[in-house]
Amino acid sequence: MKDYLPEHWQRILSHNKLGDFASLWDLDAGWFEDLNKRRGGWSGVSHCELDRPDGSIVGVFLKRQENHITRTLTHPMGMPTFTREMQNILRFKAADIPALEPVYYAERRIDGDLRAILVTEELAGYESLEDWVTRCARQGWPTRQLRARLMRAVAVVMSKMNQHHLQHNCFYPKHIFIRFDGDDISVRIIDLEKTKWRLFKSYAMFRDLYTLNRHSQRWSRTDRLRFFLIYLGLKRLTPRARALWHSIAQRTIKKGRLRNIGRAQ
């Protein structure tokens, strides 16, 4: 994959003496979380603050990996997992689906090792839906009206993603980031490494609806059904929608993930 570095980000990186692969790779920045050591290599994330030429500061996540590859039909010898993630970030960007803002991408083979760097802008002011729900379960749930607005905001983004035949594959609440801007609710989708284009968008829809339902342990059944209807643009279940909801619910129950703890009422 070709290097990616928009002009405005090049100015910011160069201002911080980080304008090339070597300087980003050698940057002494602490790891944001434990290194992921698998796939025959390693992958890690650092959080950095960069000075803009105008004196302001912008946060970014610097992801570096070495020999951390995935094999596909088009890349039988393997490619960095960041390549697929970056390709999907750009795919979302082209479709105007809110996700991460890419800053930099490049890969190099150095002394036989395949290295890759992916930099994205920090989602300032956002929190994951998982963290928001956990806090609400502890401190008290907001009104049904606010929850419905949040569901609609998430459903709109999810529907747009699936309408473009994109299946997230890991559509968990921790990968859905939200921000309240007065009466508006902004949504961003992260962790696109496993996103796939599906020939039939119905497959993408079922997989992502099921995954989100399965991992929404603290939402009441009523709220989960309400989200389902909002996503489909329905006021009540039709026979076809009822069959789909039953299929999702049965598969969720089979996995045994839903528990009656601290749910919204």
Side-chain angles (χ1 to χ4, degrees):
M1 182 176 176
K2 294 181 179 179
D3 292 2
Y4 178 91
L5 179 56
E7 185 177 344
H8 68 286
W9 281 112
Q10 185 176 26
R11 289 195 297 269
I12 295 173
L13 290 177
S14 297
H15 183 71
N16 290 267
K17 297 180 172 55
L18 296 172
D20 56 53
F21 188 94
S23 58
L24 284 167
W25 184 266
D26 294 334
L27 181 64
D28 185 11
W31 299 113
F32 188 73
E33 54 192 17
D34 292 340
L35 290 178
N36 184 355
K37 296 181 178 179
R38 62 189 182 95
R39 296 179 180 267
W42 60 267
S43 180
V45 184
S46 302
H47 178 263
C48 309
E49 291 188 342
L50 303 177
D51 296 320
R52 289 192 176 102
D54 63 6
S56 62
I57 295 175
V58 59
V60 299
F61 283 99
L62 167 63
K63 302 175 70 172
R64 291 170 283 190
Q65 63 180 202
E66 182 175 84
N67 298 328
H68 195 267
I69 64 174
T70 182
R71 291 180 171 82
T72 67
L73 290 175
T74 55
H75 293 83
M77 300 304 293
M79 65 177 181
T81 60
F82 287 170
T83 300
R84 184 164 59 185
E85 183 174 3
M86 182 61 181
Q87 289 171 341
N88 284 324
I89 289 174
L90 294 178
R91 184 178 286 171
F92 272 56
K93 190 176 181 68
D96 197 28
I97 303 169
L100 294 170
E101 182 63 29
V103 173
Y104 175 91
Y105 178 82
E107 56 191 71
R108 302 284 188 272
R109 187 169 291 279
I110 300 174
D111 297 329
D113 294 317
L114 183 57
R115 297 176 178 177
I117 297 175
L118 172 60
V119 184
T120 58
E121 185 177 2
E122 177 185 13
L123 294 178
Y126 286 80
E127 68 176 324
S128 71
L129 182 58
E130 180 177 74
D131 289 344
W132 184 84
V133 169
T134 299
R135 180 162 50 80
C136 289
R138 183 175 63 251
Q139 299 177 0
W141 288 90
T143 63
R144 180 176 297 177
Q145 290 74 18
L146 178 59
R147 299 203 308 271
R149 284 174 48 215
L150 175 58
M151 291 177 200
R152 186 170 301 280
V154 174
V156 166
V157 174
M158 181 181 178
S159 177
K160 190 171 186 179
M161 178 178 69
N162 294 155
Q163 287 298 317
H164 279 82
H165 296 250
L166 295 172
Q167 175 181 305
H168 188 280
N169 256 345
C170 297
F171 204 60
Y172 309 147
K174 68 179 180 180
H175 296 150
I176 303 169
F177 275 63
I178 60 174
R179 184 178 70 188
F180 293 88
D181 301 309
D183 292 334
D184 296 327
I185 302 175
S186 300
V187 177
R188 296 286 192 97
I189 309 301
I190 71 165
D191 200 2
L192 306 183
E193 178 189 332
K194 296 182 180 179
T195 298
K196 295 180 179 179
W197 185 89
R198 300 301 299 265
L199 179 61
F200 299 105
K201 60 186 178 185
S202 59
Y203 291 171
M205 177 185 70
F206 179 84
R207 170 71 182 196
D208 288 338
L209 279 171
Y210 155 70
T211 301
L212 183 59
N213 187 67
R214 178 186 172 193
H215 289 268
S216 297
Q217 299 181 32
R218 294 186 180 275
W219 291 95
S220 67
R221 183 181 183 278
T222 299
D223 270 343
R224 286 183 283 115
L225 177 57
R226 184 177 291 117
F227 176 85
F228 177 74
L229 291 173
I230 290 172
Y231 172 87
L232 294 178
L234 300 173
K235 292 185 178 180
R236 60 185 61 86
L237 287 173
T238 63
R240 185 174 181 180
R242 188 181 301 278
L244 177 59
W245 173 250
H246 179 75
S247 179
I248 291 171
Q250 287 300 112
R251 187 170 179 182
T252 301
I253 293 171
K254 185 177 180 180
K255 292 291 185 178
R257 288 300 301 269
L258 295 178
R259 303 191 298 273
N260 291 310
I261 52 173
R263 295 187 189 171
Q265 301 299 317

